[in-house]
Amino acid sequence: MANNVQALTDRWDLFEGDEPEDQLDPEDLPSVSGPKFQPKENTMVIIDKSGVHRLEVRCCDCPNVTSPDIQMFQHRFFPASFNRPKTVFTFRVLDDFLLNNLECGTSALNYYSKLLANDLEHVSTPCSSNAISPSSKGHDIDKACGQDRYRELMRVARQWRQLKTMKWHGFGHQYDNPNAGDLALFCPARPQPGINISLSGDESLDDWKYTQLFVMDRNFKAEHLHPIKPFDEVWLSDGLGFMVGKDRYKKHLAEAADTVEKSSCNNHQAVNQANAAQHKLESTGIGGVACA
């Protein structure tokens, strides 16, 4: 009996070793009395830094209660869908993924495989009675068991990054839609009257001390193919950040003349890459301009 109690305790101890506010106990999950538990209907996949877990979750269905997706957000869970959520990501796993992706260049596939390795270490899966070693390919095992949430991580991570960016730029508690460039970082070094400089009566930005210098660079390998289903493309920050909007970009392509640059060097990779076939590409690279 004691062993059974200990096994049940270990099953619910999802967030061992974390801060007190991140602890998740069975009584913390929203639940009300209702019909008998049905695994296919009430089981929810919870993705956390500690791994991928499947738990019974019952949302409150009292009168005048908020929708299930809002209840998930109130408990610091980000649902992968909003009508009938069956998969949720904890806020901290999304923050951890964005940090790993930014600082370490970790791809979504590698990060999700790491989560599965944490979850599958010496643990039996529903589709196998044998324990799975950490060296196994967690993503393939999870996909074979019908529990693959890699695509959900890709979609939710984009939404989470967008929400974070809007919050950091002052749009977290407003209904105003940001305009072009509102989600880009403010440049404090650029001379801007009324913000970081004060012009006297005989001064102007044409004076030598207010000369603005810019640097330009381009990555010729950041290619982007034409989407197979363009009507399914969802633009979250079209022209709101550092990248130009798609309409302005298409207008530029229609007006700009395409010239082939000839290099005097033998097999110059940058020039050869720029002159490569472009009929399958929506963009052949990314160019940037910054204050020097």
Side-chain angles (χ1 to χ4, degrees):
M1 183 64 180
N3 294 335
N4 294 336
V5 174
Q6 181 64 30
L8 182 60
T9 304
D10 294 340
R11 177 187 176 188
W12 283 102
D13 190 11
L14 301 181
F15 311 129
E16 183 179 0
D18 295 328
E19 296 78 9
E21 61 270 18
D22 287 331
Q23 292 290 339
L24 180 65
D25 297 323
E27 56 270 16
D28 292 333
L29 294 175
S31 61
V32 295
S33 59
K36 186 177 180 180
F37 167 61
Q38 299 294 333
K40 292 185 179 180
E41 296 182 1
N42 295 334
T43 301
M44 185 169 291
V45 179
I46 302 177
I47 294 92
D48 183 67
K49 289 173 58 177
S50 58
V52 181
H53 313 278
R54 299 178 66 87
L55 297 174
E56 175 189 358
V57 176
R58 294 185 180 180
C59 295
C60 178
D61 57 359
C62 298
N64 301 324
V65 74
T66 57
S67 58
D69 59 324
I70 301 299
Q71 294 184 46
M72 295 295 115
F73 281 117
Q74 292 173 347
H75 286 78
R76 301 182 64 82
F77 293 133
F78 198 111
S81 58
F82 302 105
N83 293 331
R84 299 179 60 186
K86 296 297 182 182
T87 300
V88 295
F89 296 82
T90 61
F91 286 6
R92 65 173 193 164
V93 75
L94 295 175
D95 285 333
D96 186 66
F97 168 65
L98 293 187
L99 183 62
N100 277 264
N101 179 258
L102 175 64
E103 298 295 340
C104 306
T106 306
S107 65
L109 180 61
N110 290 339
Y111 185 82
Y112 185 73
S113 298
K114 185 194 76 168
L115 296 180
L116 291 174
N118 294 339
D119 186 42
L120 295 175
E121 184 174 2
H122 307 300
V123 176
S124 298
T125 62
C127 57
S128 174
S129 58
N130 299 325
I132 299 176
S133 63
S135 60
S136 301
K137 293 184 178 180
H139 176 65
D140 295 337
I141 295 172
D142 196 53
K143 188 174 182 179
C145 298
Q147 304 175 21
D148 183 22
R149 296 298 184 272
Y150 164 68
R151 295 183 61 182
E152 285 79 358
L153 174 61
M154 292 280 290
R155 182 176 66 253
V156 171
R158 289 181 59 198
Q159 298 172 349
W160 184 252
R161 183 184 291 110
Q162 173 72 4
L163 292 175
K164 285 280 189 176
T165 303
M166 295 187 67
K167 174 185 174 182
W168 293 334
H169 289 83
F171 294 94
H173 302 283
Q174 299 181 15
Y175 291 98
D176 299 337
N177 294 324
N179 297 318
D182 283 350
L183 300 185
L185 296 177
F186 176 78
C187 180
R190 178 183 176 185
Q192 301 178 72
I195 299 178
N196 52 11
I197 60 172
S198 298
L199 299 176
S200 59
D202 56 346
E203 286 185 322
S204 68
L205 292 178
D206 296 332
D207 293 345
W208 64 269
K209 58 182 177 181
Y210 298 129
T211 301
Q212 301 183 32
L213 301 178
F214 300 94
V215 294
M216 302 178 62
D217 196 5
R218 178 179 174 181
N219 183 349
F220 290 97
K221 295 184 178 181
E223 299 175 344
H224 188 269
L225 296 173
H226 287 286
I228 300 177
K229 298 180 179 179
F231 50 84
D232 287 339
E233 296 290 316
V234 178
W235 296 77
L236 298 181
S237 300
D238 183 25
L240 302 181
F242 294 99
M243 303 295 293
V244 66
K246 62 179 184 298
D247 293 335
R248 291 182 59 190
Y249 175 66
K250 292 180 180 180
K251 182 180 179 181
H252 167 74
L253 292 181
E255 298 175 352
D258 188 13
T259 58
V260 179
E261 180 181 357
K262 295 183 179 180
S263 174
S264 58
C265 300
N266 182 26
N267 195 23
H268 195 281
Q269 294 185 3
V271 176
N272 294 340
Q273 186 71 22
N275 296 332
Q278 305 176 7
H279 64 282
K280 295 183 179 180
L281 301 177
E282 186 177 35
S283 60
T284 58
I286 298 178
V289 181
C291 298

